[in-house]
Amino acid sequence: MKFNFFSKALSRLTIACIVVVVSITNCQLFDSFKGTVMPGETETTNFTLIDQNEQPFTLSDQLGKVVLMFFGYTFCPDVCPMTLTTWKHVQDQLKDEAKYVKFVYITVDPERDTPQRLKDHIEIFSKDFIGLTGSDEALQEVFSAYGVYRDRHEISGSATGYLMGHTSRIFVIDQAGNWRLLHNYDTSVEDIVHDIRLLLSD
């Protein structure tokens, strides 16, 4: 009789433990980031560049916001407009939460991407997006700080003259100014929204 009592109690305890473990596992899966997580608290390098309205933009002034940062150029035929389109969908899905997010597009082609050119281009996607340019020296400091590469490829007989090979990842910076995540340019809208909301809930 005692054996049966302890046996039933043990079974109930085992089931309860399994339920707890499953619940914790589900929470961890739900709360995990979809993007590549940077190790520890990876600090960002501050910088100041010029936006599409010819005003200075300083990264450290964005504390309290989640910042999505991409390096591209307006003559890009594929990856860059695809990223900007994704950002627009992300912005739409976030709705009111979008006011806590900055979408920052930094040119790798300052020779052609003047502030006006950036303004005309990115506002096709959203007037809230920020386009940045600057001197070669100022931009190179930012490229070096974030491990961004760019290569110029001449194209004979083309109206564009040349194309730029460049890093095609989205850098995600949290509200405290830490570089938290990397997303591939083709990451789904849903995954990016999920990660932004997770950061906003911190």
Side-chain angles (χ1 to χ4, degrees):
M1 206 60 176
K2 288 183 179 179
F3 176 78
N4 287 338
F5 171 79
F6 285 117
S7 178
K8 288 178 181 179
L10 184 60
S11 296
R12 287 171 184 163
L13 181 60
T14 301
I15 292 170
C17 288
I18 290 172
V19 169
V20 169
V21 169
V22 170
S23 297
I24 292 173
T25 301
N26 286 338
C27 288
Q28 289 175 337
L29 286 173
F30 179 77
D31 289 338
S32 62
F33 289 110
K34 306 295 185 180
T36 301
V37 179
M38 301 301 292
E41 291 187 354
T42 304
E43 293 185 4
T44 55
T45 299
N46 192 33
F47 61 79
T48 299
L49 294 171
I50 302 300
D51 72 15
Q52 71 266 36
N53 297 308
E54 300 190 48
Q55 298 300 310
F57 173 95
T58 301
L59 182 61
S60 61
D61 289 345
Q62 314 314 311
L63 291 176
K65 304 286 180 67
V66 171
V67 178
L68 270 62
M69 199 161 64
F70 184 80
F71 296 82
Y73 68 113
T74 61
F75 284 84
C76 179
D78 41 37
V79 171
C80 306
M82 185 186 304
T83 301
L84 288 169
T85 300
T86 296
W87 279 6
K88 175 56 179 170
H89 292 315
V90 167
Q91 185 184 48
D92 289 344
Q93 284 202 20
L94 286 171
K95 298 181 180 178
D96 289 343
E97 293 171 294
K99 64 186 176 184
Y100 302 112
V101 182
K102 292 287 187 180
F103 298 86
V104 180
Y105 186 87
I106 303 175
T107 185
V108 296
D109 185 18
E111 182 177 328
R112 294 182 293 190
D113 286 345
T114 62
Q116 187 60 52
R117 169 74 188 176
L118 282 167
K119 183 180 180 71
D120 292 342
H121 183 72
I122 65 172
E123 288 189 0
I124 294 171
F125 302 91
S126 173
K127 291 186 177 181
D128 296 321
F129 292 173
I130 299 164
L132 298 181
T133 187
S135 67
D136 286 338
E137 293 77 14
L139 284 167
Q140 189 54 55
E141 286 183 10
V142 180
F143 300 152
S144 298
Y146 291 91
V148 173
Y149 79 88
R150 58 171 182 161
D151 291 310
R152 177 168 168 159
H153 304 283
E154 302 292 338
I155 304 176
S156 60
S158 170
T160 59
Y162 62 89
L163 294 175
M164 299 292 294
H166 59 90
T167 298
S168 57
R169 288 192 166 191
I170 300 168
F171 299 73
V172 184
I173 299 167
D174 68 16
Q175 302 97 307
N178 295 313
W179 176 7
R180 293 287 294 278
L181 303 166
L182 278 173
H183 285 140
N184 290 326
Y185 74 90
D186 57 353
T187 299
S188 71
V189 171
E190 291 73 23
D191 283 355
I192 295 174
V193 169
H194 170 276
D195 284 356
I196 290 173
R197 284 183 169 150
L198 210 51
L199 289 173
L200 291 176
S201 69
D202 281 354

